[in-house]
Amino acid sequence: MFFEPPTAQDESSEPPPPGLSPWQAPPAQERGTVLVSDLVLARTQDVAMIVQTIQAFSTGCLINVDVVTRASADDSTLTRAIYQHMVTGVKAGAPLPDDLLRFGVRFADGSKATTVGQRVGRRHPPSAAPPPGPLISWLPGMSMRSGPEDPSIVIAGLWLWPSPPAEPFQLAVEWPAGGVELTFAEVDGAAIASAAARSLPYWPE
C-alpha cells in the first residue's frame, strides 16, 4: 500500500508552535525558477489533474497542480474534498476516507513522502531541528470558476523538501471519490536541480 493512514503522532491535537519551518514552505527571500511542465497526472470523466508548473528553489520545489472538476459532476463535494482540512475521518490506523485527495512522491532509492496525515497550517520554529526527509506539504491554493457551467479549478501547491535528487522520481496521486486510482507520473529531477541552481533572491545583496 502506497498511501497509509497517519500515525498517532501525525494526528496529535497539541497546539502548533509559532513560526514557519523551511521544510514547510519555500524560502521567503527567493523567487525561484519556474519550469513549465504540462504533465498530465490523472484524467477521468469528471476530474483532470495537470502539473502546470514546477518552481525550483535552493531548498526544495513547489509543484503546482491544477485539480479540475466538471460542472456536471457533484463538484460541491469534490471541491470541498480537495481541501484537506474539510475532510473528516482521517484517523491513525483507520482506512483512509474515499474523499481524501492524496499526493505523494517516491524516489529511486525507495524513499517516499505523502500528504496523508498532514495538519494544514501547522508551523514550527525556524530553529527547530529538521525532520528526516523527504516531506511533501500542501500549501494554501486558490480556486477559479467564471460561471455555473464552467469546470471548477483548484490550484494545489505541493512543497517538496528537500530538493529532489537529480534523477527521475515519481509523483503519485489517488482520489477514490474523484474516480482517480493510484497513479504514478515521472518527474525530471535533473531539470529541477538545474533550475534550482538558477534561483535568485528578490533583492540581491
Side-chain angles (χ1 to χ4, degrees):
M1 181 183 297
F2 185 85
F3 292 102
E4 303 167 0
T7 64
Q9 182 178 3
D10 288 335
E11 64 165 7
S12 171
S13 59
E14 295 180 4
L20 182 64
S21 62
W23 53 88
Q24 287 185 305
Q29 302 300 325
E30 281 185 43
R31 64 189 189 191
T33 303
V34 176
L35 300 172
V36 177
S37 172
D38 289 333
L39 173 67
V40 177
L41 188 55
R43 183 182 284 131
T44 69
Q45 179 178 348
D46 295 317
V47 174
M49 299 188 200
I50 313 295
V51 180
Q52 297 284 21
T53 61
I54 298 176
Q55 194 171 1
F57 295 84
S58 61
T59 56
C61 66
L62 182 61
I63 303 171
N64 297 300
V65 184
D66 283 3
V67 182
V68 187
T69 56
R70 288 186 188 272
S72 58
D74 184 12
D75 64 331
S76 60
T77 300
L78 292 181
T79 301
R80 283 196 305 271
I82 294 172
Y83 298 98
Q84 302 257 298
H85 66 282
M86 300 188 74
V87 178
T88 59
V90 183
K91 299 182 180 299
L96 298 177
D98 286 347
D99 56 344
L100 179 67
L101 171 56
R102 45 206 97 146
F103 290 101
V105 291
R106 182 165 61 190
F107 298 117
D109 64 0
S111 60
K112 72 173 186 178
T114 78
T115 56
V116 174
Q118 179 184 126
R119 288 188 60 187
V120 176
R122 185 170 188 168
R123 300 186 173 202
H124 299 275
S127 59
L135 293 177
I136 186 167
S137 302
W138 191 303
L139 302 185
M142 61 178 293
S143 60
M144 298 178 289
R145 168 176 271 176
S146 58
E149 301 302 318
D150 295 330
S152 173
I153 304 174
V154 175
I155 302 175
L158 305 173
W159 173 242
L160 176 58
W161 175 93
S163 297
E167 59 186 4
F169 66 92
Q170 294 178 313
L171 178 62
V173 66
E174 186 179 45
W175 195 17
V180 178
E181 299 179 351
L182 177 59
T183 303
F184 295 91
E186 186 173 287
V187 181
D188 187 351
I192 295 175
S194 176
R198 304 192 302 273
S199 179
L200 299 173
Y202 285 106
W203 293 277
E205 293 294 338

